[in-house]
């Protein structure tokens, strides 16, 4: 099965459960960029989603979302994605996935990914070097079909999890692919705030 045009609604999973080790253990979701938390930026990017699950610490937000911790704890992004998928209250044809540390993602990013995914099993943002970002849409049924058992989720990368799927790569616009792994990343991004 492949993604078709006109499917009603999608779910979103925001991956915010990392340890932030290069940021001294600070919870990334709470870090502010342009006066707003990274979590608020992420929730803005998936404003079109019918349901949102945030995998990570609970952080105050105006949007109704479900917070959950990944199982196993600190099991990595694939474990986070699959944990988030498991707590969705409703079933959706596609799921949008994004890392909380990419504040330049926008609703238009996910609209482009959804459009690009038509005829495929998903789409992923990939930079000029072909490096795939944690910003993608995937067909829910295909994700379910390739998921490993609970034990196999621990330490599994998103790349390895999604390897069997037909994901089309989409080039980022502007700073969409920029993420914040270090304090210098944060300073650089804040310095280029006008580049949006």
């Amino acid at each position: 099965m492949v993604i078709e045009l006109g499917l009603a609604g999608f779910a979103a999973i925001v991956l915010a459960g990392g340890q932030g080790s290069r940021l001294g253990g600070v919870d990334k979701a709470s870090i502010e960029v342009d006066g707003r938390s990274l979590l608020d930026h992420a929730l803005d990017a998936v404003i079109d989603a019918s349901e949102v699950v945030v995998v990570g610490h609970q952080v105050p937000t105006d949007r109704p979302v479900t917070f959950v911790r990944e199982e196993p704890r600190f099991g990595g992004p694939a474990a986070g994605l699959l944990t988030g998928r498991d707590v969705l209250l409703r079933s959706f044809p596609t799921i949008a996935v994004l890392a909380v540390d990419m504040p330049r993602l926008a609703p238009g990013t996910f609209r482009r990914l959804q459009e690009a995914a038509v005829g495929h099993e998903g789409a992923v943002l990939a930079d000029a070097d072909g490096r795939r970002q944690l910003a993608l849409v995937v067909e829910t049924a295909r994700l379910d079909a390739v998921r490993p058992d609970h034990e196999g989720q621990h330490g599994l990368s998103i790349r390895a999890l999604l390897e069997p799927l037909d994901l089309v790569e989409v080039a980022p616009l502007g700073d969409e692919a920029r993420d914040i792994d270090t304090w210098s990343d944060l300073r650089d991004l804040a310095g280029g705030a006008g580049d949006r």
Side-chain angles (χ1 to χ4, degrees), residues 173-190:
L173 298 180
D175 281 342
E176 283 177 330
R178 293 272 300 269
D179 59 3
I180 297 173
D181 287 326
T182 65
W183 292 115
S184 61
D185 290 341
L186 181 61
R187 281 192 302 275
D188 292 348
L189 196 69

Side-chain angles (χ1 to χ4, degrees), residues 16-127:
Q19 299 182 59
S21 51
R22 287 185 279 178
L23 289 165
V26 171
D27 177 31
K28 281 189 180 181
S30 300
I31 291 174
E32 290 198 359
V33 172
D34 304 334
R36 304 182 66 235
S37 73
L38 285 178
L39 179 59
D40 283 334
H41 283 283
L43 295 178
D44 284 352
V46 291
I47 194 72
D48 297 334
S50 300
E51 183 179 348
V52 180
V53 172
V54 177
V55 184
H57 293 291
Q58 193 151 343
V59 175
T61 179
D62 292 334
R63 182 166 180 184
V65 301
T66 300
F67 284 92
V68 66
R69 295 307 313 245
E70 73 271 23
E71 277 297 327
R73 187 90 188 274
F74 300 125
L81 165 55
L82 295 172
T83 300
R85 189 268 173 271
D86 288 342
V87 299
L88 287 171
L89 300 174
R90 293 173 38 216
S91 180
F92 297 91
T94 59
I95 296 173
V97 183
L98 66 157
V100 77
D101 64 355
M102 299 179 71
R104 299 303 188 230
L105 294 174
T109 311
F110 287 93
R111 290 178 197 133
R112 287 193 349 267
L113 288 169
Q114 291 277 11
E115 288 169 12
V118 172
H120 302 274
E121 295 170 338
V124 60
L125 207 63
D127 63 23

Side-chain angles (χ1 to χ4, degrees), residues 151-189:
E151 194 128 321
Q153 295 176 25
H154 188 76
L156 183 68
S157 71
I158 293 274
R159 178 177 279 281
L161 173 66
L162 302 179
E163 188 67 40
L165 303 187
D166 170 28
L167 301 183
V168 64
E169 295 183 348
V170 175
L173 298 180
D175 281 342
E176 283 177 330
R178 293 272 300 269
D179 59 3
I180 297 173
D181 287 326
T182 65
W183 292 115
S184 61
D185 290 341
L186 181 61
R187 281 192 302 275
D188 292 348
L189 196 69

